[in-house]
Amino acid sequence: MKKHNFSAGPSILSEYTIKNTADAIINFANTGLSLLEVSHRGKEFVAVMDEAQALVKELLDVPEGYHVLYLGGGASLQFCMAPFNLLRTKAGYLDTGTWAANAIKEAKIFGEVEVLASSKEANYTYYPKGYTVPDDLDYFHITTNNTIYGTELRKDPDVNVPLVADMSSDIFSRPVDVSKYDLIYAGAQKNLGPAGATLVIVKESALGHVDRVIPTMLDYRTHIKKGSMFNTPPVLPVFSALQTLRYYKEMGGVKEMEKRDLAKAELLYNAIDASKMFVGTVTDPESRSIMNVTFVMTPEYKELEKDFVDFCAARGIVGIKGHRSVGGFRASLYNALPIESVQALVDAMNEFEKTH
Ligand SMILES: *Cc1c(COP(=O)(O)O)cnc(C)c1O
């Protein structure tokens, strides 16, 4: 049975990505060798890296003066690398969830951190609004999509200081005005490829302004200078990411992805809103994520949550168990998930509700 994969990360990838990656593991670019056993400096892999960088620039309309990198260490390493390279005295952060809080903790190692708004006291059930961003910040850090709590900011904020964004779980789900950002980073394993590569888009002129010594590997300039090939890059994740990027381009780019993602999210949120058994956890409708939909059972039915997970599993619906800090369910609707899978989940919800 074909599975409906709602996993939060690592998560569903397009069949095109999986198939081409599998093929390249056997015979990479007609070399007669596996992708896993060739030099990253050979012309075949250099072409992969070049195209994987160029397609990000094309799909996100990245302006001149920016570099695209594929680094190791996950988005979590960027929590440290960003302030290491950019924080002189003070940065502002939004505390919108577990990942944002982790980013704040790392930034404090390097300077003063002002938390401009937090929804922590409400278990992160909304995306904060109405805060002011002081002009004296080195940068303002946001987490555009809060993967665990199902909240999202689907626009690029207008502020007078450079923006830094963790877009791990919603990059390529909408057009982004990259010119507003000094730095964007995203772990690959949600909307791009397998775990092991982190996409970084960095503005060259933002670098070189801190006084501290930066270890070679943690200095963005090292990787810019060497075209993201200073050391051995994560070759397999980069190859897979390239397949996904080609797929996105073929499908019509990020505008088309956004259209599809909005339709999927609407289908599921409408079903939740119409249900007496299920209820969304995000209190502010405008904060609802179109990537991760979090919901629980109403108190009356609460003890049936486990049964529903099993009911879904029997229908090939997997990965819907909520993060332990929220409970209930989380359906991740990343770009590669077809709307048919969302329909299957909605059908399962309706049927379960009818029979209980
Ligand atoms: C998954 C995730 C992370 C952590 O990524 P790693 O690659 O595991 O370090 C960070 N931020 C957000 C928003 C995420 O969804």
Side-chain angles (χ1 to χ4, degrees):
M1 177 171 49
K2 177 100 184 72
K3 302 276 184 189
H4 301 289
N5 183 4
F6 290 90
S7 300
S11 45
I12 186 167
L13 293 170
S14 76
E15 277 174 36
Y16 179 86
T17 301
I18 304 267
K19 166 95 179 43
N20 288 354
T21 303
D23 288 349
I25 287 175
I26 306 293
N27 180 6
F28 170 50
N30 287 320
T31 53
L33 296 168
S34 167
L35 169 65
L36 307 178
E37 58 182 2
V38 296
S39 169
H40 58 293
R41 309 231 178 252
K43 68 177 188 326
E44 290 84 5
F45 187 77
V46 169
V48 168
M49 179 60 92
D50 288 348
E51 191 183 344
Q53 293 172 330
L55 272 181
V56 169
K57 289 186 176 170
E58 185 180 332
L59 286 164
L60 293 179
D61 211 359
V62 177
E64 287 292 303
Y66 285 77
H67 296 273
V68 173
L69 308 171
Y70 289 90
L71 306 181
S76 298
L77 184 61
Q78 296 305 309
F79 297 162
C80 138
M81 239 172 122
F84 220 141
N85 284 263
L86 301 176
L87 179 47
R88 292 184 297 272
T89 48
K90 189 167 75 167
Y93 277 69
L94 281 191
D95 176 22
T96 53
T98 305
W99 298 120
N102 288 356
I104 290 166
K105 177 169 173 273
E106 293 305 294
K108 283 180 176 167
I109 297 170
F110 301 96
E112 194 185 327
V113 172
E114 211 175 309
V115 176
L116 303 182
S118 171
S119 47
K120 186 175 182 187
E121 86 295 337
N123 200 30
Y124 299 119
T125 46
Y126 64 93
Y127 206 103
K129 280 182 258 206
Y131 51 84
T132 47
V133 180
D135 287 340
D136 65 342
L137 300 176
D138 295 328
Y139 63 83
F140 172 42
H141 181 285
I142 56 174
T143 309
T144 51
N145 185 64
N146 298 287
T147 323
I148 295 173
Y149 300 92
T151 66
E152 189 177 17
L153 180 69
R154 293 198 64 75
K155 55 175 190 261
D156 310 305
D158 286 305
V159 291
N160 291 324
V161 299
L163 272 172
V164 173
D166 176 359
M167 295 194 185
S168 291
S169 51
D170 66 350
I171 196 156
F172 302 117
S173 73
R174 65 175 174 95
V176 171
D177 183 354
V178 175
S179 71
K180 285 188 176 175
Y181 297 83
D182 273 13
L183 174 68
I184 293 169
Y185 59 89
Q189 68 274 24
K190 279 91 181 205
N191 244 347
L192 188 55
T198 309
L199 175 64
V200 170
I201 303 170
V202 61
K203 188 177 178 178
E204 183 158 2
S205 62
L207 303 173
H209 306 302
V210 294
D211 293 328
R212 68 179 68 87
V213 175
I214 306 174
T216 311
M217 273 295 285
L218 300 182
D219 190 331
Y220 292 117
R221 291 170 302 179
T222 303
H223 302 284
I224 289 173
K225 229 178 282 164
K226 299 288 183 180
S228 214
M229 293 269 224
F230 170 74
N231 67 321
T232 318
V235 289
L236 183 122
V238 172
F239 179 89
S240 288
L242 171 60
Q243 308 314 307
T244 303
L245 295 166
R246 283 179 176 170
Y247 169 78
Y248 289 167
K249 185 179 171 180
E250 182 70 28
M251 291 293 114
V254 290
K255 268 216 179 82
E256 176 62 24
M257 287 301 139
E258 179 174 46
K259 210 173 97 195
R260 291 169 182 225
D261 291 335
L262 284 168
K264 288 185 285 177
E266 189 179 291
L267 178 60
L268 184 51
Y269 281 121
N270 283 347
I272 293 168
D273 291 344
S275 162
K276 288 191 172 59
M277 180 179 263
F278 299 97
V279 59
T281 62
V282 176
T283 50
D284 166 32
E286 277 182 32
S287 300
R288 284 175 157 185
S289 168
I290 69 166
M291 292 279 103
N292 311 96
V293 177
T294 49
F295 55 107
V296 294
M297 277 183 178
T298 55
E300 193 184 342
Y301 296 103
K302 198 90 197 158
E303 75 282 3
L304 292 176
E305 284 188 345
K306 195 188 166 299
D307 291 353
F308 182 64
V309 171
D310 296 340
F311 183 83
C312 284
R315 284 164 170 67
I317 296 169
V318 298
I320 62 153
K321 200 167 178 299
H323 190 272
R324 61 191 178 281
S325 55
V326 181
F329 316 103
R330 168 173 53 174
S332 297
L333 314 182
Y334 296 124
N335 288 359
L337 186 86
I339 195 160
E340 290 74 22
S341 289
V342 184
Q343 188 62 55
L345 174 59
V346 168
D347 292 345
M349 290 164 70
N350 289 337
E351 200 180 321
F352 190 84
E353 189 164 345
K354 230 180 277 161
T355 51
H356 290 80

